[in-house]
Amino acid sequence: MNSILAASSGLIKWGLLGKILVLSAGVSVSLVVLFTLAVNALSAYRRQGAAVATKTVSALVGVVTLTLILATLVWGLYFIVHK
Amino acid sequence: MHNTFLLVLVVLIAVGFDFTNGFHDTANSVAPTIATGALRPRTAVLMSSALNIVGAFLSLKVAATIASGIVSQTSVILPVVFAGLTGAIVWNVATWYFGIPSSSSHALIGGVVGAMLAHSGGSTVLWGGLTSKVVAPAIAAPTFALLIAALATTLSRHLTSKSDSATKSWGMRTGQIGSSALLSIAHGTNDAQKTMGIVTLALVANGTLADNAGTPTWVVVMCGVTIGMGTYLGGWRIIRTMGHGFTTLSPTQGFASQITSSVVILSSSHFGMPLSTTHVAAGSILGSGVGTKKRSVRWAVAARVALAWLMTLPAAALCGALSFYLSHAIGSPVGEVVTGLLTALACVGIVRRSRRDRITPENVNDEWGGHSEAFEHVKGHSPATTEVSA
């Protein structure tokens, strides 16, 4: 595997493709999940009223903040390792 | 070195290509939005058209890369650029007729490479650049998009399993409008720049611009507006294939596929890698089908489209080479005028033929198989029997 990567590295920018994959996957999946949770919150509000909606919104805020914290931690780690 | 008449011809034919690019690629931005009924067809293409123009002004990174690294810039002459563009136009219009979402970028690159090969042989084509900038992204782009969209659709499906379907459908359709807008901007950012790059290449080849000069503002405005106009007219045949041919899209799938397409295109633009927006959009739509519970994808349609993708580069190269030989045999610039007229005649002929079974905003959402899904017309194969694998 390593030899294939090494032999093709002159023609194929593996690093760049990897960056695009990681960035795209992270951002796309996060956006879709966050939007879906927001739709869920709205659905819960329509069905069961404010109490459940508040719970769902709290969960949404929790997921967003945790994701951001994790993302910045990974970013920070990458920054420290590569500096 | 300076040949103003020929340069004007090249700019005109580049505008023609840009128009077909917008026309051909409307589907990339709006097909899922139209297929799920999130927006009316006309409204969707109007919004997409306006945002394509906006996108064209946002970044010039891809324009800088498309003009270099694939063919030796010092060997490019105007007749080569002209022939390359005619090859790309012919391929774009032919694939539009068959409803095939093929890559306009690959048609453009193929046309220029073919004309270059006819002009000066293989030594002036940068094969390494062609592999790293065209072949590798052509494999990577739809694969990435398919995997990410499948994951996003699966997650979204599981997360909304307890939501009421009316709210879910309304919410996702609303999200689709936003994601379609984002995708249109991404398309404008990525695709209008390709023609900008080619016009810049022609200006450099003519000595009007210095080597490595930036893209002039008039080129940016011209390309942005032209691609917007092409987008507004809407390539309904391809919108139909993208919206209904690969899979039957739900609003959740449409939203996930469009978000994935926009993010993949914008991140590749950010890194200056020109991807085919068509490959990304088609990969995302397929991925959204894979992400459903029944894995509902019409693989036969996908396989035919993939075959067309494989053919795009060599076929456009052949058209570009033939165009160059014809112009060269007649002599410049009369040869270019004749070739340009023949290209226009061929396009008009194809458009007239397409009127036998017109796809319009009114019938674009008809059930798949209800029209002569042109590229499925193989003897003994009825379009209505196209399978959706469970």
Side-chain angles (χ1 to χ4, degrees), chain B residues 196 285 350:
Chain B
M196 290 177 207
I285 292 172
I350 293 171

Side-chain angles (χ1 to χ4, degrees), chain B residues 298 300 304 368-369 376 380-388:
Chain B
R298 293 186 181 89
R304 285 184 206 113
W368 183 253
E376 288 202 45
H381 177 91
S382 160
T385 62
T386 309
E387 75 284 4
V388 174

